[in-house]
Amino acid sequence: MRQNEMWQPVILELRRSLFSEEMVCSMSTQLFHIPETKDLKGNAEIHESLVPASYHRVTANGSVYRLANGEQQMSIVQTLISCIQNAQKEDRDVRNGLNIMREAAPTSYKPFIENIIRWQDYAERHLQNAKQYTMQITGNIALQDQPPYRES
C-alpha cells in the first residue's frame, strides 16, 4: 500500500476531529459575548483546556500529512501519537467543564450547551478513531526506540 493511501483514514478522522473542535471553540467562545452567559461557570475553565487540545489536534494533523507525503522519521510518528494522547487528556477537562456549564446555564441556553457537548462527542470519537488507525499502521513501533519508520 502506498504511503499516502495508508494514512488516509487517519487524515480523515483527524480532520473530522479538528472540525468538531472548531465548532466547540466557536460556540463556547460565543457565550462570552452574550450578556446572559458572559460569565457562565465552567466556560473560562474549558478554554484553559481547549487551547492546548486544539494545538495538539493541529500538530497531529500536520504530522499525519507529512507522513502521508512520504516523510518517514520515527519522530514524526511519535509526535502524531503523543499529540493524539495529549489532546485526549485535555478533552477530559473540557468534558468536565462542559458538564459544569450545562448545569449552570440559564434554561434557555441549555439546548445550546447540549449542542456544544455533541460537537465535543464528535471531536473525541474521531480522535479515538484516528488513534486506533494510527496504532494499526504503526503497531508498537512508535513506542520502541527503533530506526526511522519505513513502509514494508
Side-chain angles (χ1 to χ4, degrees):
M1 181 178 286
R2 290 188 37 215
Q3 195 80 355
N4 185 285
E5 294 168 3
M6 177 174 58
W7 290 104
Q8 286 306 309
V10 181
I11 288 172
L12 182 60
E13 291 300 325
L14 284 175
R15 274 190 197 157
R16 289 174 174 163
S17 182
L18 185 57
F19 177 77
S20 299
E21 181 94 343
E22 291 168 2
M23 296 303 291
V24 171
C25 290
S26 172
M27 295 172 76
S28 60
T29 301
Q30 177 186 353
L31 293 171
F32 288 125
H33 302 281
I34 299 171
E36 298 88 358
T37 58
K38 68 181 176 71
D39 296 317
L40 182 60
K41 185 176 179 182
N43 199 10
E45 293 80 3
I46 71 166
H47 282 82
E48 291 174 15
S49 296
L50 277 173
V51 171
S54 298
Y55 165 82
H56 290 301
R57 278 183 172 82
V58 167
T59 304
N61 269 277
S63 297
V64 76
Y65 279 114
R66 292 174 65 199
L67 292 166
N69 285 301
E71 292 189 57
Q72 301 179 351
Q73 294 86 355
M74 176 55 65
S75 56
I76 300 171
V77 175
Q78 291 167 325
T79 298
L80 170 62
I81 292 170
S82 69
C83 283
I84 290 172
Q85 291 170 337
N86 288 333
Q88 288 178 316
K89 289 176 193 170
E90 298 295 339
D91 284 346
R92 286 191 277 279
D93 291 335
V94 171
R95 171 77 50 191
N96 292 335
L98 285 169
N99 289 333
I100 292 168
M101 289 170 63
R102 177 175 40 206
E103 294 302 314
T107 304
S108 61
Y109 286 91
K110 287 188 187 292
F112 188 80
I113 305 297
E114 290 293 337
N115 197 15
I116 297 172
I117 291 170
R118 276 191 295 279
W119 281 111
Q120 182 64 28
D121 291 341
Y122 299 145
E124 291 176 21
R125 182 177 318 122
H126 292 299
L127 189 65
Q128 179 61 33
N129 291 346
K131 182 179 181 180
Q132 289 173 342
Y133 285 128
T134 300
M135 297 313 287
Q136 287 172 9
I137 293 166
T138 64
N140 290 328
I141 64 166
L143 305 175
Q144 300 169 6
D145 186 20
Q146 291 190 359
Y149 169 73
R150 301 279 185 237
E151 183 178 354
S152 306

